[in-house]
Amino acid sequence: MRVLVVEDESMLADSIAEGLRGEALAVDVAYDGEAALERLRLHDYDVLVLDRDLPGVHGDEVCRTVVADGAHVRIIMLTAAGDVRSRVAGLSLGADDYLPKPFAFEELTARVHALGRRARPADPPLLKRAGISLDRAHRQVFRDGLYVPLARKEFGVLAELLRAGGAVVSSETLLEKVWDEHTDPFTNTVRTTMMKLRRKLGDPPVIETVTGAGYRIP
């Protein structure tokens, strides 16, 4: 899942982003509405965490623009105003959820995951293929019943491969879904992560390289 956090309080924005990255999500950050709209034009996000009270281009305007463009991203609005009238106003703009500040990070995380499931076809509780079982809720992976400890990016890559159901997943798609915008598109990051993932999954090899196309678990 790829998330964009838009919050003008830089410390709060960075804290939210770091926490969500700890949930194996790919997270980008924008500190104002103009930068947010630019990133939304460039990338395909699943969830937008949007501070309503942005300077310059207001959060309301960002929300209106996203909805008018027909983007499939799900929007959760954050604001210091927690009264019912403010919540109704935020939702009437097209936001999917609304969370008043201050909030518990655990609640924000749960809401982001819930919106992410609505942004794309729902995954089953367990993703299974070729003897591999991946539990997204508990971030656990097993192969033939044996636990496989994975780093965050390895877990994200494996989840995308399993979700594809045997189809080929390109390196570009993996970069888009698992990494953030700061990753060099010409880097060897995907290949390096794939090597580590294959080593941890053990023999016999289960991930195939399709030359010129990407990777798959047949």
Side-chain angles (χ1 to χ4, degrees), residues 19-50:
L20 292 176
R21 289 177 185 130
E23 297 289 317
L25 305 180
V27 185
D28 296 335
V29 179
Y31 302 110
D32 59 66
E34 185 177 354
L37 291 173
E38 181 180 349
R39 284 167 174 78
L40 286 161
R41 285 191 290 266
L42 292 173
H43 304 291
D44 181 18
Y45 293 101
D46 298 295
V47 178
L48 170 62
V49 180
L50 177 65

Side-chain angles (χ1 to χ4, degrees), residues 62-123:
V62 174
C63 187
R64 288 193 192 95
T65 301
V66 171
V67 173
D69 288 346
H72 296 294
V73 61
R74 299 293 183 173
I75 304 170
I76 177 169
M77 272 193 163
L78 308 178
T79 182
D83 59 276
V84 174
R85 181 177 297 180
S86 296
R87 296 185 190 190
V88 171
L91 294 172
S92 68
L93 293 169
D96 300 278
D97 202 354
Y98 193 96
L99 187 61
K101 299 176 182 177
F103 51 83
F105 179 74
E106 292 79 5
E107 181 177 5
L108 174 62
T109 301
R111 292 184 183 220
V112 167
H113 280 296
L115 289 178
R117 289 192 291 271
R118 291 167 58 186
R120 59 169 68 185
D123 292 327

Side-chain angles (χ1 to χ4, degrees), residues 1 20-26 113 117 120 123-128 132-143 146-164 169 173-174 177-179 189-190 192-201 207 217:
M1 188 192 309
L20 292 176
R21 289 177 185 130
E23 297 289 317
L25 305 180
H113 280 296
R117 289 192 291 271
R120 59 169 68 185
D123 292 327
L126 295 176
L127 294 173
K128 295 183 178 181
I132 297 173
S133 176
L134 184 146
D135 183 339
R136 293 186 61 88
H138 298 94
R139 289 195 59 216
Q140 293 181 331
V141 173
F142 294 86
R143 181 172 187 187
L146 298 177
Y147 175 67
V148 182
L150 297 181
R152 288 182 297 176
K153 298 304 183 186
E154 296 161 1
F155 185 92
V157 167
L158 181 60
E160 291 299 325
L161 291 175
L162 291 173
R163 185 180 291 112
V169 182
T173 297
L174 291 173
K177 292 298 184 182
V178 183
W179 279 268
T189 296
V190 172
T192 301
T193 302
M194 197 66 68
M195 289 172 58
K196 294 178 180 178
L197 177 58
R198 282 170 163 158
R199 183 167 63 249
K200 290 184 178 181
L201 290 175
I207 300 174
I217 297 179

